[in-house]
Amino acid sequence: AMARLALSDLGFGIGRRFLRRGEERLAAGGCLLRTPPTAAQGRAGSLAAPHSSLSSEDSKMLATVSKRIRSTDSPVVVAMKKLIAEGGGPGEVASLAQGVVWWKPPASAKDLARQSLDSDVVNSYGPCEGNPQLREELRRKLREENNLKGVEVMVTTGANQAFINVALSVADSDDSIVLFVPYYFNHLMALQMTEGGPKVDFGPCDPETMLPDLSWLEDRLASDSPPKAVVVVTPNNPTGVIVPGKMLQRMASLCGSSGSWLIVDNTYENFTYEDTTSRPEFVDAPNVINIFSFSKCYGMMGWRMGYLAYDESNSDLAESLLKVQDTIPICPTQISQHMALGALREGAPWIAERVASLEANRRRALGALRPLGEGSVTRSDGAIYLWAKLPDGMDDAEVVETLVKEHKVCIIPGSSCGSPGFVRVAFANLTEEACEEACGRLERGLKQILQDARK
C-alpha cells in the first residue's frame, strides 16, 4: 500500500484504471469502458483549500482548473524521471524506460538546418500544412517506400501532435474511439483531454499474439452506435507486435462499412530485426489516416517532427486538419523542417544501418527478462520495446519502484498502458555498452524480486 501511495505522489497514480477518482473499469462484452466522475466526486476533487482556511466569500472566488484535464492521466515518463531522480539521478540509475534512440540526426541534415539560419524565411511563419519542398519529398517517400499513393500530407510538430490534430478533426465529445489494450499512453491522454476520454472503448487483443481482436471489433462496429474511429499502432508501442497487412486491410474495410475512421500510427515503421518474421505493411483508403514520425528513425526527438497522410480527395478532412493546425502551432517549426528535409534525403539506408546496431541491445534485453520464465515475453517483431508479463499477483508499479531504488534501473509499468501486471522495456536509448550494464541490473533485480516474493 505504501508503494502505491509513493508512486501516486509522483503523479503516476498506480493502477490508475482502478484507483483514480471517478473511474470504473467495466467489462461489457470485452469492451472496457470509462465513466466520468459524478458531480459529488467532482466537488470532492476540486482544488478548494480546507474550509477553515478561507471564508465562505473567499472560497467562492477560488479559481479551479479544467475537470477535463484533471481527469486526464498523468504522464508516466515524467513520473519515471522523477522516480529516477529520487533513486539517485540519471548518473546513477540506468533507464530502459523512455522510447528514444541513442543516435543523433544525419550530419547533412544538421548542415541544412544550420544553413537555414542564414535565411530570413526561417524567422517567419511558414505554410500551415508544412514546407512545400518537404511535403513533396514526403509524398515521394510515401509512394516509394510505403506504397501510399494519392495522399495529401500535413507536417506536424511530432507524431503526438499529428494524433491530436486527427482526434480533434474527426470526433465529437459524444463519439467513441477504440484503443486496443495495451495502448500507447499518450493516445489515451489526448482523447481524455479532448473530451473523448469518457467514451473511449478499450478493445481486447489476443493474449498470445497481442494482435487486435477482430471478432470483437466487427461486433462493435456492427452495433447501433459504432465508434467514430479505431486506432492501431504498428509496429506496436508497447508490445513491438507488427499488425499484418491483411489484418489492416480487414480493419479498414470494417471501419469503412460502418462510416468509421481507421487511424494507423506508423511511428516505428523502420524498426525490424534479424529474426523478424513479418515486415510492416501499410493501408490506404478514403477512411484511413496514417501517422508517421521523424523522432525515432532519425534521432530527432527534440526537433519535434511528424506528419500525417490521408486521401487527397477528402477536402472536408483537409479543411478540418488545417483549422486545428492553425490554432495550435500555426505552422511547423521552420528550422526543424529543414532538418527533416535533410534527414529524409539520407533515407531508409541510413536508418537501417542504425537499427541494425540495436540487435545486441535487443538480445541483452531479452536475456534480462529470462527470470520471468518461458512465455512471459510477447513475441516482438518490431519497434524498440519488449513487453513482459509478471508472475500473477505481482504489482507492476511496485516492481518498477523496487528496480529503481534498489537495483538502479528503470522500466515502464504496464498499468500505464492499461495492463497491470506487465512491464515495458525500451532497448534503443542506450549505447551497446551502457545497455549491457542496464540489462545486467534488470536481470539481477528481477531475480531478487522473484526470490523475495517466494519467501
Side-chain angles (χ1 to χ4, degrees):
M2 291 303 293
R4 287 170 179 262
L5 289 173
L7 278 184
S8 293
D9 291 341
L10 292 177
F12 171 49
I14 300 310
R16 285 175 300 203
R17 305 304 151 257
F18 307 95
L19 301 182
R20 195 173 62 248
R21 190 171 49 244
E23 293 183 356
E24 296 176 359
R25 186 180 175 95
L26 303 176
C31 179
L32 302 177
L33 306 177
R34 300 167 67 84
T35 58
T38 64
Q41 289 169 329
R43 288 193 298 272
S46 73
L47 293 182
H51 178 72
S52 59
S53 64
L54 290 174
S55 69
S56 59
E57 184 176 351
D58 288 337
S59 64
K60 291 178 182 177
M61 300 297 293
L62 186 65
T64 61
V65 299
S66 161
K67 292 179 183 177
R68 189 174 63 252
I69 299 301
R70 282 181 58 85
S71 67
T72 297
D73 287 0
S74 298
V76 64
V77 171
V78 173
M80 292 302 100
K81 288 181 177 179
K82 187 172 182 181
L83 182 59
I84 287 171
E86 291 190 350
E92 188 174 341
V93 179
S95 178
L96 297 170
Q98 190 168 15
V100 297
V101 297
W102 61 262
W103 56 82
K104 299 176 178 63
S108 58
K110 290 188 281 188
D111 288 341
L112 196 59
R114 289 190 193 98
Q115 292 169 20
S116 72
L117 293 173
D118 295 329
S119 170
D120 288 339
V121 173
V122 78
N123 301 315
S124 303
Y125 291 128
C128 192
E129 304 96 324
N131 181 296
Q133 192 175 5
L134 175 58
R135 292 173 67 217
E136 187 55 40
E137 283 292 309
L138 287 171
R139 290 189 194 95
R140 176 199 58 77
K141 178 261 183 185
L142 291 167
R143 286 193 306 269
E144 296 176 4
E145 297 181 20
N146 307 109
N147 197 31
L148 296 176
K149 302 171 184 177
V151 294
E152 189 52 271
V153 174
M154 171 175 278
V155 182
T156 59
T157 52
N160 274 0
Q161 198 231 315
F163 183 80
I164 205 161
N165 278 13
V166 171
L168 288 169
S169 296
V170 305
D172 294 308
S173 58
D174 56 348
D175 291 322
S176 63
I177 294 180
V178 170
L179 297 181
F180 287 97
V181 180
Y183 47 75
Y184 171 42
F185 37 78
N186 281 141
H187 282 172
L188 176 61
M189 291 172 68
L191 298 179
Q192 289 171 328
M193 66 179 60
T194 56
E195 297 191 72
K199 292 184 174 63
V200 174
D201 289 350
F202 293 104
C205 285
D206 183 284
E208 297 297 323
T209 66
M210 286 294 171
L211 290 170
D213 185 334
L214 289 198
S215 295
W216 176 89
L217 180 62
E218 188 168 6
D219 289 344
R220 183 69 187 87
L221 288 167
S223 68
D224 292 336
S225 56
K228 190 66 178 293
V230 175
V231 179
V232 62
V233 183
T234 179
N236 187 263
N237 178 5
T239 66
V241 168
I242 295 175
V243 180
K246 289 184 178 179
M247 180 174 281
L248 285 176
Q249 292 286 355
R250 178 64 175 154
M251 295 175 80
S253 176
L254 288 171
C255 288
S257 298
S258 299
S260 303
W261 296 94
L262 177 64
I263 304 166
V264 186
D265 188 332
N266 305 281
T267 290
Y268 300 95
E269 59 173 319
N270 300 100
F271 291 84
T272 58
Y273 302 95
E274 289 176 353
D275 62 349
T276 293
T277 57
S278 62
R279 300 286 166 178
E281 297 183 60
F282 306 89
V283 60
D284 63 341
N287 65 314
V288 174
I289 304 172
N290 280 287
I291 293 173
F292 298 87
S293 175
F294 283 89
S295 294
K296 310 303 191 293
C297 54
Y298 288 111
M300 288 177 53
M301 290 75 64
W303 291 87
R304 309 310 305 133
M305 278 281 99
Y307 57 104
L308 54 86
Y310 57 94
D311 191 286
E312 63 184 3
S313 67
N314 198 326
S315 58
D316 285 345
L317 178 60
E319 183 178 353
S320 296
L321 289 168
L322 195 65
K323 290 178 181 178
V324 179
Q325 180 93 330
D326 185 70
T327 302
I328 300 177
I330 298 180
C331 68
T333 305
Q334 294 274 49
I335 191 172
S336 294
Q337 292 185 90
H338 285 85
M339 174 74 85
L341 182 59
L344 201 61
R345 288 170 178 170
E346 292 289 342
W350 187 93
I351 302 168
E353 182 180 343
R354 280 139 189 88
V355 172
S357 73
L358 298 176
E359 294 285 356
N361 285 11
R362 186 167 175 264
R363 287 194 295 270
R364 288 191 175 96
L366 282 166
L369 293 169
R370 277 196 300 261
L372 297 178
E374 187 176 353
S376 61
V377 180
T378 296
R379 168 70 194 185
S380 168
D381 278 335
I384 55 176
Y385 309 108
L386 297 176
W387 183 248
K389 186 181 185 303
L390 298 171
D392 290 344
M394 191 165 283
D395 188 297
D396 54 303
E398 290 179 359
V399 168
V400 168
E401 185 176 25
T402 300
L403 286 170
V404 171
K405 294 188 175 179
E406 297 182 17
H407 302 281
K408 305 305 178 184
V409 63
C410 186
I411 57 178
I412 291 286
S415 47
S416 66
C417 305
S419 296
F422 287 79
V423 291
R424 189 194 80 174
V425 177
F427 55 80
N429 57 341
L430 299 175
T431 60
E432 190 172 331
E433 183 179 356
C435 188
E436 182 176 14
E437 171 62 27
C439 288
R441 296 181 189 183
L442 177 59
E443 183 174 11
R444 291 189 295 272
L446 289 174
K447 285 180 179 178
Q448 186 63 54
I449 289 169
L450 293 173
Q451 182 179 329
D452 292 344
R454 298 188 196 104
K455 292 179 181 178

